[in-house]
Amino acid sequence: MAEIVLTNTGRDAFLKASPEFRGPGAVRAVDAVLGLLALRGADRASGVPEPTPELVRLVLVEDLPAFVWAEPAELAAYPAVVRALAGRFDGDRRARVEAAVGRTAADFERAMADPGNLTWPRWYARLLRADGTDPDDPGAVRAWLARLDRPPVPNGLRRADLVGRTAVADVVLAEVLTRAYVRDAEHAPAAGPLLADHDVARGIGTVAHALLGRWTAAGLPDGLAGEYAHLAPGPDDLPHLDLADALLGEHLDYYGDAAVALPPPALGLMEQDPDAAGSDPDRDTDPDVGGEADVERNADLLAAAVDALTGADAAPDAVPYGSEAAHLLYTLYQRGCSAESVARRAAEFEDWTVDPALEDAPVRVPLPASPAYTTPTAGELARLLGTPGVNATDRARLDAPAHALAAVVDRLAATGLVFRRGDAFGLTPRGCAVVRYLLAVRGVVVPGAGETDGWDAAPLAAAAAGWPRAAARRVLTDWLRAHGDGDVAWSALLGAVGSVNRGTSDAAATRALLDVLDLSDAPAGVLRGVLAHPVTGARAEETLRERGEPVAPGEVPAAARALRVLDTLPGKKGPLESRRTAFDAAAAAWPGGAAALVAAMHAADPYETARVLTPLGVSVP
């Protein structure tokens, strides 16, 4: 069948008229380029598919890197085939296609060499050639497959990466084949149909395997779909990918983009208050525990636990908060794998007011005690929530939600990837590694412990602006230390905080890093160097004055002072009346009063000004 599918592309006539395309690699290039151009709808009235500039990019940069394997020495043949087809044209038409090839050739070579574009057939075609196996001998290909006992994976990739890319490529090729067949059936081309009825009757998947066999290695796709399917697992073989999708959804809900990095896990995973001594003695210190096979097994285990809480067979009424399982795992990782409080999270789920400064604060992990859950005392709840008025009645109201959430945590903890001690819960080192793996296979940027020390200041500040405060403080402090903690490092970081996201809706979150950093450690010369900066100047002035060092009033611009007033207003916490009172007090001390203050704030950061002042009834320009 591999010899008869995809007919009427003009391949044989083209090869006869083009003696420069000789040898298996060149013939494969001709077959693939003509075949894909025809499948994508290129006009075949002249006997061969006629490329257009749009089809040139589609075939060279998207299709060939998904369906074809070629050795580096063979790559030049593919754009050469398109140029040869363009050579049949005259004038402007020929020039436009040749220009498209010129613009696309480098992208084509990069895409063909990109490990992220590897599918199982392309990967095995590469390996068997490297082993000296003839890709055009189906018997040799089968014998080579028989010698493998498990799927080898390229360096830097995971099985899940190949699974995902292969699944996408399979869907795309099936759609391309189906559309081509329907198009020819609806409007019979003069050159004849690309796909015969009896071929399509055997299934689009069978036709796709035949084509992939011609473009990678003979019999390889059939073998990987049949006797050697264990060497090319699909999505059904990796059930944890559903959990990976759920975690990606959580990330997109928070940040809207998989490319936004999460904070790295803390070295040692110290689940404790910053001021508390000791750590969890039962936990390992390396968050990257185990090889890929071990991580995958643990990921499947965790996915099964989440599915039992959230899947079709779960009983939501019987497991309150069970639907929050993936959210809990994501937020634990987002905290840098620091521990959280069951009661505080339950209070948030029940819409209690939690001090924004404490929402993501790490909690202390107590020594082992009774596994039964006990809601913290009213005093401890007041400390955890930042709400001094919590009393015994409030504690009683939170008791049932806290116990229900603890039951969900304990179900997850049965995997050994989550722990709970008293009110504290978090990810174990293996759990942290598993969640990191699950996020990574869906493209979320998850640097390892210490990896951010090598970043430049600007991308670090951009990422840290969206992190929980404790995680941002830890990573920025480590970065300063790794870069010498001197003038150069501090100048670079303060410069980044003052410029990254400036003029955007994310500017306030970036400025908030000034309160995350311990500026008392910053060199005086660096602080004086930023006094005139319209973003960082007022914060630097505060630090210098706290040290008892004088600062002339004119050294700090009004814009920086207005931003500092804006950033110190309670934008989320407390009743509106008290928040309005805080604004009125600041306006009374501002030269020119409220109108002048609002105008200065708006000029410096219109987004944050509207967010903070509009709820207070303050008119914003």
Side-chain angles (χ1 to χ4, degrees):
M1 180 175 174
E3 296 302 320
I4 60 175
V5 295
L6 211 59
T7 55
N8 298 317
T9 64
R11 181 191 65 176
D12 294 343
F14 180 89
L15 286 170
K16 185 175 181 180
S18 307
E20 67 271 25
F21 295 104
R22 290 289 182 267
V27 171
R28 186 176 295 108
V30 171
D31 185 63
V33 171
L34 267 61
L36 287 166
L37 284 171
L39 287 171
R40 287 296 191 177
D43 189 345
R44 292 181 287 128
S46 65
V48 293
E50 299 180 1
T52 64
E54 295 75 21
L55 286 177
V56 167
R57 183 161 192 87
L58 179 61
V59 169
L60 287 181
V61 180
E62 296 186 27
D63 289 345
L64 290 170
F67 310 132
V68 175
W69 177 256
E71 293 298 310
E74 300 171 338
L75 290 179
Y78 291 83
V81 172
V82 183
R83 290 192 181 95
L85 291 171
R88 296 168 173 251
F89 303 152
D90 293 324
D92 181 62
R93 188 180 179 192
R94 174 177 180 173
R96 286 189 297 108
V97 173
E98 288 181 339
V101 175
R103 291 191 301 269
T104 307
D107 290 338
F108 159 71
E109 293 199 7
R110 279 194 293 269
M112 290 293 287
D114 184 355
N117 285 330
L118 285 175
T119 62
W120 288 122
R122 294 187 73 235
W123 169 235
Y124 283 123
R126 171 183 170 180
L127 291 181
L128 64 87
R129 282 173 169 79
D131 281 352
T133 302
D134 182 358
D136 297 313
D137 181 347
V141 170
R142 284 194 301 273
W144 182 84
L145 288 172
R147 293 196 293 271
L148 300 179
D149 57 357
R150 69 183 307 271
V153 179
N155 290 335
L157 293 185
R158 307 167 185 83
R159 288 203 306 164
D161 298 323
L162 289 168
V163 169
R165 180 60 175 157
T166 301
V168 171
D170 288 348
V171 169
V172 170
L173 184 55
E175 290 180 349
V176 169
L177 288 167
T178 301
R179 289 174 182 169
Y181 179 73
V182 172
R183 184 174 58 244
D184 285 356
E186 292 178 344
H187 305 284
L194 291 170
L195 301 168
D197 290 341
H198 67 274
D199 291 336
V200 174
R202 298 177 62 180
I204 288 293
T206 302
V207 176
H209 285 173
L211 288 176
L212 291 175
R214 282 175 19 184
W215 299 340
T216 56
L220 177 61
D222 282 333
L224 294 177
E227 183 178 0
Y228 303 106
H230 63 283
L231 297 177
D236 291 342
D237 300 306
L238 301 180
H240 58 263
L241 293 183
D242 287 340
L243 178 55
D245 289 333
L247 293 173
L248 173 61
E250 293 287 339
H251 187 75
L252 295 178
D253 285 345
Y254 272 84
Y255 300 106
D257 187 352
V260 175
L262 287 175
L267 284 170
L269 293 174
M270 303 290 280
E271 319 293 3
Q272 57 188 30
D273 281 325
D275 299 327
S279 65
D280 183 350
D282 293 342
R283 304 188 65 207
D284 299 324
T285 58
D286 182 4
D288 295 315
V289 180
E292 182 180 13
D294 180 53
V295 171
E296 284 186 358
R297 283 191 295 271
N298 281 308
D300 286 341
L301 186 65
L302 189 59
V306 172
D307 188 60
L309 291 164
T310 64
D313 296 331
D317 293 339
V319 189
Y321 304 119
S323 61
E324 301 290 347
H327 175 73
L328 291 172
L329 295 172
Y330 175 81
T331 54
L332 286 172
Y333 190 90
Q334 185 200 30
R335 298 161 58 84
C337 297
S338 65
E340 170 64 296
S341 158
V342 171
R344 184 167 64 196
R345 184 50 56 92
E348 291 177 341
F349 286 158
E350 293 297 306
D351 294 326
W352 286 33
T353 299
V354 178
D355 185 342
L358 297 177
E359 287 175 346
D360 299 302
V363 299
R364 179 186 178 190
V365 177
L367 294 173
S370 169
Y373 181 77
T374 301
T375 305
T377 65
E380 178 63 9
L381 282 176
R383 188 188 71 82
L384 283 169
L385 306 181
T387 309
V390 175
N391 55 34
T393 301
D394 296 320
R395 179 182 182 274
R397 282 196 298 120
L398 191 62
D399 191 59
H403 274 81
L405 184 57
V408 171
V409 171
D410 289 347
R411 293 272 292 272
L412 296 174
T415 64
L417 305 172
V418 173
F419 74 90
R420 183 182 65 78
R421 281 198 192 166
D423 184 57
F425 73 102
L427 295 168
T428 67
R430 287 183 182 273
C432 188
V434 166
V435 175
R436 182 183 179 212
Y437 159 83
L438 291 168
L439 289 163
V441 299
R442 286 299 182 247
V444 179
V445 178
V446 279
E451 187 178 332
T452 49
D453 289 349
W455 289 11
D456 290 338
L460 179 65
W467 295 345
R469 291 170 62 92
R473 180 181 296 110
R474 168 178 57 82
V475 176
L476 293 177
T477 301
D478 289 347
W479 187 91
L480 286 166
R481 187 178 301 114
H483 288 258
D485 209 17
D487 288 13
V488 173
W490 275 98
S491 293
L493 191 54
L494 290 179
V497 171
S499 60
V500 167
N501 293 324
R502 188 176 173 190
T504 74
S505 59
D506 295 321
T510 308
R511 288 197 306 276
L513 296 177
L514 294 171
D515 293 321
V516 166
L517 290 165
D518 186 357
L519 293 185
S520 65
D521 292 333
V526 172
L527 293 175
R528 291 198 172 276
V530 300
L531 284 173
H533 195 280
V535 173
T536 57
R539 187 67 181 85
E541 178 189 29
E542 282 184 11
T543 303
L544 289 170
R545 290 189 183 281
E546 288 167 0
R547 294 177 178 179
E549 300 185 29
V551 177
E555 289 189 70
V556 180
R561 295 188 186 280
L563 283 177
R564 190 60 187 155
V565 172
L566 176 63
D567 293 338
T568 54
L569 290 175
K572 293 174 63 177
K573 185 183 178 184
L576 290 177
E577 294 80 2
S578 65
R579 290 156 61 185
R580 177 58 194 253
T581 299
F583 168 76
D584 290 341
W590 187 265
L597 175 58
V598 173
M601 288 177 173
H602 186 267
D605 186 344
Y607 303 98
E608 186 71 356
T609 300
R611 188 189 73 81
V612 173
L613 298 187
T614 300
L616 307 183
V618 177
S619 179
V620 177

